[in-house]
Amino acid sequence: MSLPTPAEERGYRVAIDTGGTFTDIAVNRPDGSVFVWKVPSTPHAPDEAVIAGLTEALSEVAGQPGEVTRFVQGTTVATNTVITGTGARVGLVTTDGFRDLLAIGYQTRPSLYDQTARRPRPLAPAELTWEVRERLAADGSELAPVDRRHLDELIARIRAAEPDVVVVSLLNAYANPAHEDQVVEALREAEAVPSVFAATSITPEMREYERTSTAVLNGYVQPKIAGYVDRLDKQLSQVGVPARLWVMQSNGGLLGSRVAQEQSVRTVLSGLAGGVVGAARWARQLELPSVVSFDIGGTSTDIALIRDGVPDEMTAGEIEGYPLRMPMVDVHTIGAGGGSIAWRDSGDGLRVGPHSAGARPGPVCYGHGGTDITVTDAHALLGRLGDSLLDGRLPLDVATARRRLADFARDVGLGDTETAAGVLRVINATMGRGIRKVSVERGVDLRQCTLMAFGGAGPLHAAELIRELGMRAAVVPPHPGIASAVGMLDTPVRHDFALNVSATTASAMPSVSEALDTLAAQAQDFLAEDEGVSATDAVFERAVDAHYLGQSYELRTAWTDDFAVLRRTFDTIHEERYGFCDADAALEIVTARVTVTAGWQEQRVEPKLATGDAPDPVGKRCAYFDGQWHDTPVYRREQLPAQVSLAGPLVLQQLDSTTVVSPGQACWHDEHGFLHIHPEEAR
């Protein structure tokens, strides 16, 4: 089958992003316009909020479930499973003599000068780790076959241990998966375990520790993801949605529900990837060369660097200290969000986060039983928020928050206003460090960067952060609180394929080219057989991972079969990233990569705002900025015409977020509804 074209998708296209506090819904109407909606998340059963949000949103636009032609879900189930330690009992079968691979890990310590720092415990514990007698050489040649009699004895022990999932990760299998496949087949034939798979089926790249860790993570989250996706798929059918379920994955593309159930680890950055994809699209639309994507939710802030409309990517990362080896958007996540809790440390210093009040009980002002002062409470008590959110659907109990702040302020030893302002200064400092992490530490001048602020709380912090960091401006998209869901509306199906190669000279380039041809054929077959998608209109991108001979890290470089040209491209990338290149070092290509994308053309109609006069404020309230209270006008954002400049301090309210503009700054809408914030004299 082929993916539907815009002409064929004349119904409602829906994308839903499940967050820690709210579940966000974006609906692309048949005329191309976008409607957004929010409902409280249901952490105990995320699918309940998804179905409720879908039903409510369709009701608001007078649509029916049967008219939904595309459905995309961004989920935090995999992430939360790892964070909360509630995954499956995972068993590991590895090569004889390598049972401690996960326990040993890297030779480096997590924190060089912290004697109490410890690595996380392996997700496949020692009692569920077994060794099989076999051996492959580094080039994949067989040194010793799989000992079948020993394997039969092993199968009996595995059956008796009753693990939920077994991962088979054998030494050097990335060069030749035959032994892994043989062991997996034996376990399946014996029905020794509910689920078993080879590590090479998840990531076929070298580096045993990262490859094994990634596969074990997949096994750890697989039952939860498989159960959730299957349950959601059935519920969508029950409410009458004919569209296929697509799931956002960590690389910024979509994968089908069946593939998500098998390769569940690819969803660990599911929700936040949608926001980065959306920010990249807006950066291209606004022709902004350097953008920092800044997404603040209830529990965390996700930050990414976007250069020339393309987000930085990485092929290796980690979650909760566990290494991941797979392509993913390069997002730096910190424990700083609207629900981050203020507390005193042992030296009586004011700290904020990383622990959060979450969805329930949430901030004190939400009135759901919260007792700890949070960042959201500080904004409410300093006049940045009114008496309700979500256009009145969420009343704020500011009086209770004020009483709780008074108690906390006495403990801290500051006045009430000083304490609330201190909470925001502390959290802004944390966020500022995160922004520098993805920009200054990569050789990017922040003074040339624009902050793309979204998430429910992003626009509340953007104005103060661009002033503190010296950034050129901030841009707030039309629907900032639903940005991740909006970003997923146009996301294509994407899959990445890799194969280890070795080339240090021009004479070896044909072997790399042959490997890329093999991967392209695999990608085409995968689209057709696993995703049910025709590759007729698919885009295939070829690249290689290379390094200077002897380095232990690689850089992705666009493929060309001209070794000299590829070398010059690599040198340029290396100098941009690390500040130097080494003309005397030999270049080694170690991995061939093919990325295939197949997707819908963008069919959204961007709003064209009319020009006009400055609107009248809908109200005024006292808000605290720069050490003093200001009589601050409050506007409805949708009433602000294009090209009309308003001077701060001011507050702009809308359904899904609140934007604050500080004294000495100004803001204006462009014709597409993007709000630009900058120093008052800059425009």
Side-chain angles (χ1 to χ4, degrees), residues 341-425:
I341 293 172
W343 54 285
R344 287 188 309 148
D345 62 19
S346 58
D348 284 337
L350 177 60
R351 304 283 295 277
V352 184
H355 43 298
S356 171
R360 295 281 179 170
V364 177
C365 63
Y366 281 9
H368 296 154
T371 58
D372 295 310
I373 290 296
T374 66
V375 172
T376 298
D377 293 312
H379 280 298
L381 293 165
L382 294 178
R384 279 96 183 280
L385 300 176
D387 55 8
S388 66
L389 297 176
L390 302 180
D391 282 351
R393 290 166 50 215
L394 178 60
L396 297 183
D397 187 355
V398 180
T400 299
R402 184 172 291 110
R403 290 193 295 271
R404 183 65 191 97
L405 175 68
D407 296 337
F408 181 66
R410 282 194 296 271
D411 294 339
V412 174
L414 296 172
D416 294 2
T417 300
E418 292 176 298
T419 301
V423 169
L424 297 188
R425 284 198 299 272

Side-chain angles (χ1 to χ4, degrees), residues 571-632:
D571 287 342
T572 300
I573 296 172
H574 198 282
E575 186 165 20
E576 289 176 352
R577 178 62 61 91
Y578 299 111
F580 75 98
C581 62
D582 189 345
D584 298 324
L587 181 70
E588 181 180 26
I589 300 171
V590 296
T591 308
R593 295 188 183 278
V594 167
T595 297
V596 59
T597 55
W600 292 255
Q601 301 172 7
E602 295 170 359
Q603 70 175 71
R604 194 172 324 140
V605 175
E606 298 292 348
K608 294 283 188 179
L609 295 187
T611 57
D613 298 328
D616 294 326
V618 295
K620 286 190 175 183
R621 59 174 175 260
C622 283
Y624 193 79
F625 297 96
D626 302 335
Q628 56 183 318
W629 291 93
H630 295 260
D631 193 19
T632 305

Side-chain angles (χ1 to χ4, degrees), residues 455-483:
L460 282 166
H461 294 264
E464 291 181 345
L465 282 169
I466 63 170
R467 183 174 59 185
E468 292 176 12
L469 297 173
M471 301 180 74
R472 61 186 300 273
V475 172
V476 182
H479 306 292
I482 320 285

Side-chain angles (χ1 to χ4, degrees), residues 519-521 523-524 527 535-542 594-597:
L519 291 175
Q524 185 165 332
L527 280 182
T536 303
D537 299 320
V539 176
F540 295 82
E541 295 182 10
R542 301 184 179 211
V594 167
T595 297
V596 59
T597 55

Side-chain angles (χ1 to χ4, degrees), residues 174-382:
Y174 65 86
N176 179 3
H179 283 190
E180 276 191 1
D181 294 341
Q182 185 178 343
V183 174
V184 168
E185 185 62 27
L187 285 165
R188 286 177 177 166
E189 287 181 355
E191 299 181 347
V193 65
S195 176
V196 58
F197 59 87
T200 48
S201 69
I202 304 302
T203 176
E205 300 180 42
M206 64 179 183
R207 293 195 172 91
E208 297 302 325
Y209 176 44
E210 291 95 327
R211 188 172 71 90
T212 304
S213 173
T214 303
V216 169
L217 273 165
N218 188 77
Y220 190 71
V221 303
Q222 188 183 62
K224 281 280 185 76
I225 284 289
Y228 171 72
V229 171
D230 182 64
R231 191 166 61 249
L232 180 58
D233 221 349
K234 291 176 179 176
Q235 290 187 52
L236 289 171
S237 296
Q238 289 172 1
V239 298
V241 173
R244 182 177 177 184
L245 170 61
W246 295 97
V247 181
M248 191 75 189
Q249 58 177 319
S250 305
N251 64 10
L254 302 181
L255 74 168
S257 58
R258 190 187 66 78
V259 179
Q261 293 178 54
E262 295 175 356
Q263 302 186 19
S264 306
V265 72
R266 299 191 183 280
T267 67
V268 292
L269 302 180
S270 174
L272 60 89
V276 177
V277 170
R281 175 180 179 270
W282 300 322
R284 293 192 298 270
Q285 179 180 342
L286 300 176
E287 299 181 348
L288 299 173
S290 298
V291 168
V292 175
S293 168
F294 185 65
D295 179 4
I296 307 180
T299 58
S300 64
T301 296
D302 303 314
I303 310 168
L305 180 64
I306 298 169
R307 314 185 210 209
D308 297 321
V310 179
D312 280 6
E313 292 190 10
M314 56 185 176
T315 56
E318 65 175 40
I319 177 171
E320 292 295 294
Y322 299 108
L324 279 169
R325 188 77 179 175
M326 65 176 61
M328 55 190 125
V329 291
D330 191 353
V331 179
H332 179 58
T333 299
I334 56 177
S340 293
I341 293 172
W343 54 285
R344 287 188 309 148
D345 62 19
S346 58
D348 284 337
L350 177 60
R351 304 283 295 277
V352 184
H355 43 298
S356 171
R360 295 281 179 170
V364 177
C365 63
Y366 281 9
H368 296 154
T371 58
D372 295 310
I373 290 296
T374 66
V375 172
T376 298
D377 293 312
H379 280 298
L381 293 165
L382 294 178

Side-chain angles (χ1 to χ4, degrees), residues 1 3 30 41 58 93 139 145 162 187 237 243 309 658:
M1 62 176 284
L3 292 173
S41 292
L58 288 176
V93 176
D139 62 359
E162 298 183 338
L187 285 165
S237 296
T658 299

